[in-house]
Amino acid sequence: MVQIKRLMADHVLVIGSGGREHVLAWKLAQSPHVKHVLVAPGNAGTANNGKISNAAISVNDHAALAKYCKDQKIGLVVVGPEVPLAAGIVDDLTAAGLRCFGPTAKAAQLESSKSFSKAFLDRHGIPTARWKAFTNAEEACAFITSVAFPALVVKASGLAAGKGVIVATNKEEACKAVHEIMQDKTFGTAGEIVVVEELLEGEEISCLCFTDGITVAPMPPAQDHKRLMDGDQGPNTGGMGAYSPAPQLSKDLLLKIRDSVLQKTVDGMQKEGIPYIGVLYAGLMLTKDGPKVLEFNCRFGDPECQVILPLLKSDLYEVLQATIDKKLSDHMPVWFEDCSAVTVVMASEGYPGSYAKGLEITGFSQAKELGLEVFHAGTAVKDGKVVTNGGRVLAVTAIKNDIISALDEANKGVGVIQFKGAIYRKDIGYRAIAFLKQSRGLTYKDSGVDIAAGNTLVQKIKPLAAATSRPGCNAELGGFAGLFDLREAGYKDPILVSGTDGVGTKLKVVRRKIAQLCKKHDTIGQDLVAMCVNDILAQGAEPLFFLDYFACGKLDVGMTQAIIAGIAQACKLAGCALLGGETAEMPGMYPPGEYDLGGFAVGAVERGQMLPQLDRIVDGDLVIGIASSGIHSNGFSLVRKIVEKSSLDFSSPSVGGSGKQTLGQQLLMPTKIYSKLLLPILRSGSIKAYAHITGGGLLENIPRVLPASFGVVLDALSWKIPDIFSWLQKEGNLSEEEMARTFNCGIGAVLVVQKELAGQVLKDIQRHEDAWLIGKVVCHQAGSAHVEVNNLLQALQANRLQSFHSQRSKTQPRKTRVAVLISGTGTNLEALITSTKKPTSHAEIVLVISNKAGVEGLKKAERAGIPTKVIDHKLYSSRMEFDSAVDKVLEEFSTELICLAGFMRILSAPFVRKWDGKILNIHPSLLPSFKGAHAHRLVLEAGVRITGCTVHFVAEEVDAGAIIFQEAVPVKIGDTEETLSERVKEAEHRAFPAAMQLVASGAVCLGGDGKLCWNAEKTP
């Protein structure tokens, strides 16, 4: 459950007037955290209905709306329809300090611009119909008549109240639709661009989800009915009914849609710098080639909302708050199971054409007695009576154990509700009912086991295994058993040695954290092989072959192939063959996306070369430690706890690293495989014992290869301990014993060697791997530990200090990526470039953008080797469209700071809000005096004796942002605008670079209150 921080119950405002908004208000009012729900403008169903009432406030004037919300102490605003979302209501209310649920205007382009949406789908490889966008009707018709596929779907690119799609039956009809939209303006400005699409065949389904910009939480799938009359006859409407869940979608298909459509869309928006937060609605066609996206909506559907939200078991208010707070993964919504919902829409006679209003509606009490919910849409209150006030008047929703029963109950409801000329369908859900009545025999796949997928996997991994062939084995998969010829491998009197292991809770980190971020599963294969083959080395055995065991709830061929590829590659590193394995698909045993791994290594050693040679170990033998790559595969339960409690997360920069690696990647460094390195040395006869430092750390593994009468004393100052162990000890406040018993502390394996031979053995190892003399064998005293590790905490602390000084001694700080926007000569640009060339600079200019081609500033950037881009504002129909193009390029270059150097365009409010605190501008006066375009003239007219220049953060109001840096310039007697301008420019060339460096270094930033914040530690 979301922990609601507010002490008192909230007032919530729902924006909209339809059936969707009535459902939202109805569901929100059920929350104990909600004191009252206001709906603006609302309808008869939301007028004085318990905790729900209507609000008389315009939703188009965002400034007035923000003031109203503050006056009414509104704690949450929920936006229902698409039009206010596209108009930026979430941007504006959020900027005013209000909590608002829904996507920003930029994110809402997924619905508000069909051309943007289709291009986005193509960019991110999300399945959709073939398409093309047009601004010319004749070109669109030429495309329709010439392409090889049926281009019969014509869409107005903009918002058209859900009616801007025409599905033609032939090419002539499609061309007619183009002319109606573009020339006759059937849908107004929404049709200035049309999208012509391939006609897909299959069944239409709606899949919605909550998303906080990272996590997606799918809702039960629904299906609406667009046609006016039974049997899908008659004209298209906004929707005449819906049902949920749709039984046509299996759990497997829902998972596929979640991953390949919903999650991929949210990830794609994040990558493009447009986080999508709210409800994402994907309209899909279930084609023979799989689900394809027909369209996106950026809000709940109507009437889908009327069947989805009644199935929500969780508190809707809590779900919305968790989404806004980006904590959805910790508070996933729960849905009622074994329930179905059906809603039937009642519409006015004449809809979707012209219709009468003001007709009295009766029968609400009878519907309530039947246990039904009636959600109002086009209704109003007149003279104390509920009357019709729209095309779609209301929807009757029934919730039952199955769709057939729910439809029967909903139809009873529309039978008792009366108004003149009411029209409605009686067959809502008929496709689902037909699907359920099909006589289908069960298959193994129906139970969750996909034999075909398993066969596909085998074919894909056969070449991976074959590549591990070695003398004694050809590593061919597919038989009942694998064979190994010891004689062919060169053995005369071998002893077989076997070992088995897993990778424990390291999988938790791989599956849930890092693999989700970088989709990387192959390194876990090396861990699995290493844990097994490193173990059998303790007997002196060469690893000969390996078997793997992979178990999952649902087989993902691509992911499993990556894991097996990692295992095969590790087998090659170890010198053993991947001889076979078991892939177990067990529905219900593992949650989606989770899996488990086990490994089995078999090796051999000649009888006279077996280790450990306990009878040869004596007091004074030396211990050689061989470096680990990091944590390897042990102690991850503790590691996870430490990371959770620390200030870092798995995506933070690595500890003590260069910044190119994340903490998660540092933790997942694969376990080293020692077999090829150590086998020649083990076989030389110089080694008395070898121990793999695995679970149990240094304290518990070394005694496993020693006689009971001996122990070892180690000195932790004698080897290099990786930074990650120092960090774990400090963050977890771990004792010396806990560190030595849990972790390898930088030592992956140890050798016990005769003192006289230790030097040569060490040199042989150091030619290939870091190794040290770390201790010696001693006689064990009764009651004392078999392993004594001296100076461990001292070594860990010294390591931290060394790492700290190493970080501070780096001459090149990480530089902030700066883009400069210009329109002309770029005199300030030259000063900025010169500043960034200094070794102490905290900034680097990665891009120069001009809205005019051929200007001198572009040539200056090119001479300095800086990438340039011309974005001509004349090619764009609006300021926001131009700014959107600039924004896209800035994101492509990973821009962190923007400097306006003579950029003669006023930036739009959405652009300024997005880059708030990241845009610098210079003005030729000492602000706040003499704002605007003619500062020097105003200075001279005012007769002041001091002017200058000001570098400030850009705010929505021109020349009003927080001031970062100013330099004064005296006004001389006889100054003209030209002479004064020249002296102020000289000051600008000093002031602008200085301000840029202050912001880039972190010495100064813009606070949440719009005022400057100084960081004293970073201020020069």
Side-chain angles (χ1 to χ4, degrees), residues 414-449:
V414 297
V416 299
I417 292 178
Q418 303 287 322
F419 60 90
K420 186 180 177 182
I423 54 175
Y424 52 87
R425 288 180 61 160
K426 298 178 182 178
D427 67 341
I428 301 301
Y430 75 92
R431 290 192 190 88
I433 294 170
F435 176 83
L436 292 170
K437 287 183 176 180
Q438 288 177 4
S439 178
R440 297 186 307 129
L442 286 175
T443 67
Y444 204 4
K445 189 173 182 178
D446 290 329
S447 71
V449 179

Side-chain angles (χ1 to χ4, degrees), residues 236-272:
N236 254 352
T237 71
M240 294 300 294
Y243 64 90
S244 180
Q248 300 93 315
L249 276 74
S250 65
K251 289 184 178 179
D252 290 348
L253 189 53
L254 283 172
L255 285 173
K256 182 176 182 180
I257 291 168
R258 181 197 68 184
D259 295 339
S260 65
V261 176
L262 300 175
Q263 187 69 60
K264 212 169 183 179
T265 299
V266 171
D267 291 347
M269 293 293 279
Q270 186 77 24
K271 288 175 185 174
E272 295 194 7

Side-chain angles (χ1 to χ4, degrees), residues 876-916:
Y876 296 86
S877 60
S878 68
R879 189 151 48 105
M880 286 184 65
E881 191 176 345
F882 169 73
D883 286 358
S884 179
V886 174
D887 178 72
K888 183 177 179 182
V889 175
L890 293 171
E891 291 287 3
E892 287 174 359
F893 280 80
S894 302
T895 303
E896 296 171 294
L897 184 65
I898 303 167
C899 292
L900 307 181
F903 184 62
M904 307 305 292
R905 302 289 300 168
I906 296 175
L907 297 169
S908 63
F911 184 97
V912 173
R913 283 196 295 269
K914 176 182 175 179
W915 293 94
D916 187 35

Side-chain angles (χ1 to χ4, degrees), residues 1-5 33 99 101 209-212 215-219 312-335:
M1 179 180 289
V2 180
Q3 292 184 352
I4 305 301
K5 296 179 181 178
H33 305 296
R99 290 177 69 80
F101 178 82
C209 69
F210 295 103
T211 178
D212 59 4
T215 302
V216 297
M219 304 179 197
L312 179 63
K313 191 174 184 179
S314 300
D315 186 319
L316 177 62
Y317 176 86
E318 293 184 355
V319 174
L320 301 189
Q321 293 287 5
T323 303
I324 295 171
D325 291 334
K326 298 185 180 180
K327 295 181 179 178
L328 188 57
S329 62
D330 296 326
H331 308 284
M332 297 292 274
V334 178
W335 303 88

Side-chain angles (χ1 to χ4, degrees), residues 150-188:
L152 300 178
V153 180
V154 182
K155 297 180 176 180
S157 181
L159 295 176
K163 303 181 184 71
V165 179
I166 297 173
V167 181
T169 57
N170 53 52
K171 294 181 179 181
E172 292 74 21
E173 198 176 305
C175 287
K176 181 184 176 184
V178 168
H179 287 291
E180 288 176 350
I181 294 173
M182 302 194 78
Q183 295 175 348
D184 300 342
K185 303 294 183 183
T186 307
F187 302 115

Side-chain angles (χ1 to χ4, degrees), residues 35 66 130 165 212 256 294 330 335 367 381 401 431 530 606 699 703 748 764 781 804 880 914 945 972 979 984 994 1010:
K35 186 174 184 179
R130 290 172 283 186
V165 179
D212 59 4
K256 182 176 182 180
L294 296 173
D330 296 326
W335 303 88
V381 178
N401 292 333
R431 290 192 190 88
E606 295 290 0
L699 299 188
D764 291 342
Q781 303 296 320
F804 173 75
M880 286 184 65
K914 176 182 175 179
R945 309 313 306 155
K972 297 182 178 180
T979 58
V984 171

Side-chain angles (χ1 to χ4, degrees), residues 70-270:
K70 290 179 179 178
D71 291 344
Q72 297 297 319
K73 295 182 170 54
I74 300 296
L76 174 66
V77 180
V78 182
V79 186
E82 65 276 15
V83 172
L85 289 169
I89 190 170
V90 171
D91 310 69
D92 293 335
L93 294 185
T94 302
L98 296 162
R99 290 177 69 80
C100 193
F101 178 82
T104 62
K106 200 166 185 181
Q109 288 180 101
L110 283 176
E111 178 174 6
S112 63
S113 171
K114 300 292 188 298
S115 54
F116 171 87
S117 175
K118 296 294 287 190
F120 173 88
L121 290 165
D122 285 352
R123 283 197 301 274
H124 295 280
I126 300 169
T128 189
R130 290 172 283 186
W131 69 285
K132 194 169 183 181
F134 298 93
T135 55
N136 179 281
E138 299 310 318
E139 291 177 6
C141 289
F143 176 78
I144 289 168
T145 56
S146 63
V147 289
F149 56 84
L152 300 178
V153 180
V154 182
K155 297 180 176 180
S157 181
L159 295 176
K163 303 181 184 71
V165 179
I166 297 173
V167 181
T169 57
N170 53 52
K171 294 181 179 181
E172 292 74 21
E173 198 176 305
C175 287
K176 181 184 176 184
V178 168
H179 287 291
E180 288 176 350
I181 294 173
M182 302 194 78
Q183 295 175 348
D184 300 342
K185 303 294 183 183
T186 307
F187 302 115
T189 57
E192 290 177 354
I193 299 174
V194 298
V195 171
V196 179
E197 275 186 19
E198 171 188 14
L199 177 65
L200 297 176
E201 294 184 357
E203 189 150 358
E204 243 182 281
I205 292 290
S206 304
C207 287
L208 291 77
C209 69
F210 295 103
T211 178
D212 59 4
I214 301 168
T215 302
V216 297
M219 304 179 197
Q223 186 175 66
D224 74 341
H225 297 64
K226 290 292 187 187
R227 298 286 185 170
L228 182 68
M229 296 183 290
D230 287 356
D232 287 334
Q233 301 299 307
N236 254 352
T237 71
M240 294 300 294
Y243 64 90
S244 180
Q248 300 93 315
L249 276 74
S250 65
K251 289 184 178 179
D252 290 348
L253 189 53
L254 283 172
L255 285 173
K256 182 176 182 180
I257 291 168
R258 181 197 68 184
D259 295 339
S260 65
V261 176
L262 300 175
Q263 187 69 60
K264 212 169 183 179
T265 299
V266 171
D267 291 347
M269 293 293 279
Q270 186 77 24

Side-chain angles (χ1 to χ4, degrees), residues 582-657:
E582 164 71 2
T583 301
E585 188 176 22
M586 298 182 286
M589 290 290 289
Y590 296 91
E594 295 212 355
Y595 57 86
D596 206 353
L597 278 175
F600 310 86
V602 175
V605 58
E606 295 290 0
R607 193 177 301 271
Q609 296 179 340
M610 290 177 60
L611 293 177
Q613 297 178 0
L614 300 178
D615 56 339
R616 292 180 55 204
I617 295 175
V618 298
D619 186 2
D621 285 342
L622 297 185
V623 179
I624 294 175
I626 304 164
S628 69
S629 58
I631 297 173
H632 285 185
S633 297
N634 301 106
F636 268 83
S637 295
L638 180 56
V639 168
R640 286 170 54 232
K641 288 287 184 186
I642 292 172
V643 174
E644 286 170 7
K645 290 183 177 181
S646 77
S647 60
L648 304 183
D649 58 33
F650 293 103
S651 60
S652 301
S654 62
V655 175

